[in-house]
Amino acid sequence: MPLSARAVSRLDRATGLLAILMIGGLIIGQVGEKFLPVLGGVTWIAAGAAIMLAILRIGAVQRMAQIFAVLSVAIAIAIAIIVPEALPRMEGALFQGTAFSAFLTSLGLIRGPVRASKLVERAAARLFAASASRRASAVTFGAQGLSVLFNIGTIGMMSDIAENHATHARAQGRTPINTRVMTLSALRGTILATIWNPIGVGFAIVTTAIPGLDPAAFLMLAVVSALVITLGSLFVLRSETARDHTPDPDLAQDMKGGRALVLILSVVLGLIVVTLALHRLLEISFLVAACMVLPVLSWGWPFVEPGIRAALKGADRLSGLGKASASMANEATIFLAAAVIGAGISVAFNSLGWGAALGGAALPAIALILGCLYLVPLAASLMIPHSIVVVMIAQLLGPGPVGAEHPLALGLGLCLAWAMAISASPISAMSIITGRQLGVTPARVTFDLNRRFTLFGLAASTVLLVLTYLFL
């Protein structure tokens, strides 16, 4: 039975309070214990709040999330009874899952201001002012920067702008720009951003699960890798983008968004720099640093762009936090549960003596890392959510010898696998949005329109991984 408006309001406020306890408890626990060790216990308050949020939202999340939640509880109980000495490992997994939940709620906070922002829209339109021969490249690169804030909404926004331009051109009797090329360029840019986006879920999972991974060094490696794949794909797929060498009839209007584009990209760069600085200065995980920065950015955005205040009016901050947790409830539940399940599987493997194989004793570490690169997209093509697979692999390999000896290679392998899995999955949100914009099925987007990009991406990723493994 649907909840009444009053009940929904109460639930939003209750979950908003829990979100404050979760995010605040995580920050106080992780930062405070550096100065006063007893404050580390506050992290348990954050974990309790994350569990309560999952319980309150369990009826509203997808069946997959519900199954994982039940399975995680069963595994935790089994470990406590059968292998009680492994409880510290499960505790660490619970705290990691709590950090994922807090991060996702913080990420949900920024979605409201960004979606209401006219600056983001003008910045995206400015990319279309590039020359006809370079427009696809501009959109591909620009989508990477914009998607740090706008996430998957970048694809629909870019596609809508392209369609508006095409409609205007037809009305004036001009040849319209190729909306399919622009939409696919936006899709590919958004996919490639997941390799390096420091406030993306994939990046957060990888940097949290591999203890020896330096986020700053890894960020530089990920950016260079994404740049190589972007340039390579634009060259390999140049026959596709050559179909859109039509001059833009709205060039003069698009040029007006130059200042907006610079401002948005400056915000993205500032977000990355501040998060890295907090990570270094406070010696906390990149994930916790992001949980400190994102809420401040979400609450400060209306002061930078006063025009969006009307769109955000109507809810207090407590209810806003509740709505943010609700918008990310499915992902938060899955990642919280998957962290515990992955740790439980790791404990089981070690108990059965299979840990040596995962540690590289039976197989070379590069074989395991390349196996991850191919396994995750394969699972995604079979409609298995890639996020679940990556979380479990990260839990299995991250704390072990492979993660300790080759943190950069393993981290890059998982982030590349995450990106290629999105491209290979007919059920990914990006494929679904692109299919809707182009009027085709998500399966056709995945297995036809974007197939060459995925295959090239996997080939380039293989080369990059081998080089990283050998020289870094």
Side-chain angles (χ1 to χ4, degrees), residues 202 205-207 209-213 218 221 358-359 365-373 376 390 392-418 464-466 468-470 472:
I205 291 170
V206 169
T207 53
I210 306 176
L213 185 63
F218 179 63
L221 175 63
L358 290 175
I366 185 60
L368 289 171
I369 296 171
L370 288 174
C372 295
L373 174 64
V376 178
V390 170
M392 290 187 173
I393 291 175
Q395 285 290 331
L396 286 168
L397 298 181
V402 176
E405 296 172 13
H406 305 283
L408 286 173
L410 179 59
L412 183 61
L414 290 175
C415 277
L416 290 171
W418 179 282
L464 288 167
L465 269 183
V466 171
T468 301
Y469 179 83
L470 292 175
L472 295 178

Side-chain angles (χ1 to χ4, degrees), residues 44 47-48 50-51 88-100 336 339-340 343 395:
W44 277 106
I51 293 170
R89 174 81 172 86
M90 302 303 292
E91 176 186 319
L94 174 61
F95 288 165
Q96 280 191 12
T98 299
F100 292 150
L336 176 61
V340 174
Q395 285 290 331

Side-chain angles (χ1 to χ4, degrees), residues 72-223:
S72 67
V73 173
I75 287 177
I77 293 173
I79 295 293
I81 295 172
I82 302 171
V83 198
E85 62 272 18
L87 283 178
R89 174 81 172 86
M90 302 303 292
E91 176 186 319
L94 174 61
F95 288 165
Q96 280 191 12
T98 299
F100 292 150
S101 296
F103 169 73
L104 287 164
T105 300
S106 301
L107 203 56
L109 277 173
I110 197 65
R111 284 186 170 183
V114 170
R115 285 173 176 170
S117 174
K118 295 298 181 184
L119 275 174
V120 175
E121 187 176 333
R122 291 201 296 272
R126 174 61 179 84
L127 298 171
F128 286 76
S131 64
S133 60
R134 297 177 181 174
R135 190 181 304 126
S137 300
V139 170
T140 302
F141 277 108
Q144 292 190 48
L146 293 177
S147 65
V148 172
L149 294 175
F150 210 60
N151 207 284
I152 59 176
T154 305
I155 302 168
M157 178 175 62
M158 293 284 206
S159 182
D160 287 342
I161 293 172
E163 185 58 44
N164 289 340
H165 283 213
T167 300
H168 187 205
R170 292 188 194 99
Q172 294 185 338
R174 301 177 181 178
T175 303
I177 62 175
N178 191 316
T179 56
R180 172 172 290 187
V181 169
M182 292 298 98
T183 303
L184 290 175
S185 296
L187 167 66
R188 290 161 184 168
T190 307
I191 288 172
L192 290 166
T194 63
I195 298 172
W196 63 268
N197 179 2
I199 62 166
V201 178
F203 193 95
I205 291 170
V206 169
T207 53
T208 302
I210 306 176
L213 185 63
D214 178 1
F218 179 63
L219 177 60
M220 289 188 287
L221 175 63
V223 168

Side-chain angles (χ1 to χ4, degrees), residues 30-56:
Q30 296 297 305
V31 176
E33 71 173 351
K34 310 291 182 185
F35 308 98
L36 192 61
V38 71
L39 288 177
V42 178
T43 307
W44 277 106
I45 296 176
I51 293 170
M52 283 301 300
L53 277 170
I55 292 172
L56 286 175

Side-chain angles (χ1 to χ4, degrees), residues 322-342:
K323 286 180 168 58
S325 73
S327 70
M328 305 298 285
N330 191 65
E331 294 89 343
T333 302
I334 286 177
F335 290 135
L336 176 61
V340 174
I341 293 170

Side-chain angles (χ1 to χ4, degrees), residues 303-321:
F303 294 97
V304 177
E305 189 179 359
I308 69 172
R309 291 179 185 175
L312 301 176
K313 202 173 181 180
D316 56 43
R317 290 184 176 177
L318 196 59
S319 295
L321 266 170

